[in-house]
């Protein structure tokens, strides 16, 4: 995925429509939350089995929402000049420290709620 290319496409899309005025971090984070909620809504009443095997209509909706989420996240990072790739790499290191294999393997407990 070429994040810089997508950032440019999103920036141009917003600029052509004079939408930069609406793309504050506050508004973009709220839009991101709404799109994530729309993804959750698709799964809301499905059983575990149904959620693992969505039908074609559900899958199309899921793909659409995933794209919306990614686009808002990338736009948000662009507006705040956050290097998404670096942020992810840093978070992997942080999570590796919080969740070492020997304390976390097979456990869903949060790092601050486990015995050790």
């Amino acid at each position: 995925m070429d994040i810089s290319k997508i950032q440019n496409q999103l920036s141009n899309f917003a600029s052509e429509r004079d939408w930069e005025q609406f793309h504050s971090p506050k508004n973009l984070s709220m839009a991101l939350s709404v799109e994530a909620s729309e993804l959750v809504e698709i799964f809301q009443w499905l059983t575990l089995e149904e959620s693992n095997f969505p039908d074609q209509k559900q899958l199309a909706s899921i793909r659409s929402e995933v794209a919306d989420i990614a686009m808002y996240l990338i736009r948000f990072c662009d507006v705040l000049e956050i290097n998404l790739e670096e942020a992810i790499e840093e978070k992997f290191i942080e999570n590796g420290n919080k969740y070492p294999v020997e304390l976390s393997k097979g456990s869903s407990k949060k790092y601050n709620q486990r015995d050790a």
Side-chain angles (χ1 to χ4, degrees):
M1 179 183 328
D2 186 341
I3 293 173
S4 294
K5 178 183 173 187
I6 296 169
Q7 281 179 325
N8 287 333
Q9 289 174 306
L10 291 168
S11 180
N12 290 338
F13 190 89
S15 179
E16 291 168 352
R17 290 155 180 81
D18 192 26
W19 285 354
E20 295 101 336
Q21 62 183 317
F22 308 118
H23 286 189
S24 67
K26 176 191 79 70
N27 287 352
L28 290 168
S29 67
M30 292 172 76
L32 181 57
S33 176
V34 169
E35 295 302 336
S37 295
E38 289 177 5
L39 178 62
V40 169
E41 184 179 30
I42 295 167
F43 291 96
Q44 184 173 11
W45 302 113
L46 300 182
T47 65
L48 180 60
E49 179 75 14
E50 290 168 336
S51 72
N52 281 316
F53 302 101
D55 63 31
Q56 289 304 308
K57 183 178 177 185
Q58 291 165 327
L59 196 53
S61 296
I62 292 165
R63 288 173 51 92
S64 179
E65 297 308 333
V66 166
D68 285 340
I69 291 164
M71 292 166 69
Y72 274 119
L73 178 61
I74 291 169
R75 181 72 177 134
F76 177 85
C77 289
D78 188 30
V79 168
L80 285 180
E81 299 180 0
I82 294 170
N83 182 311
L84 181 57
E85 189 172 358
E86 286 178 7
I88 291 170
E89 289 173 7
E90 290 168 4
K91 192 64 177 180
F92 265 124
I93 293 168
E94 182 182 332
N95 285 347
N97 291 329
K98 284 182 185 178
Y99 299 99
V101 173
E102 62 275 6
L103 297 177
S104 304
K105 190 170 185 172
S107 173
S108 63
K109 288 186 179 179
K110 192 171 177 179
Y111 68 94
N112 62 356
Q113 296 182 349
R114 64 178 172 238
D115 301 329

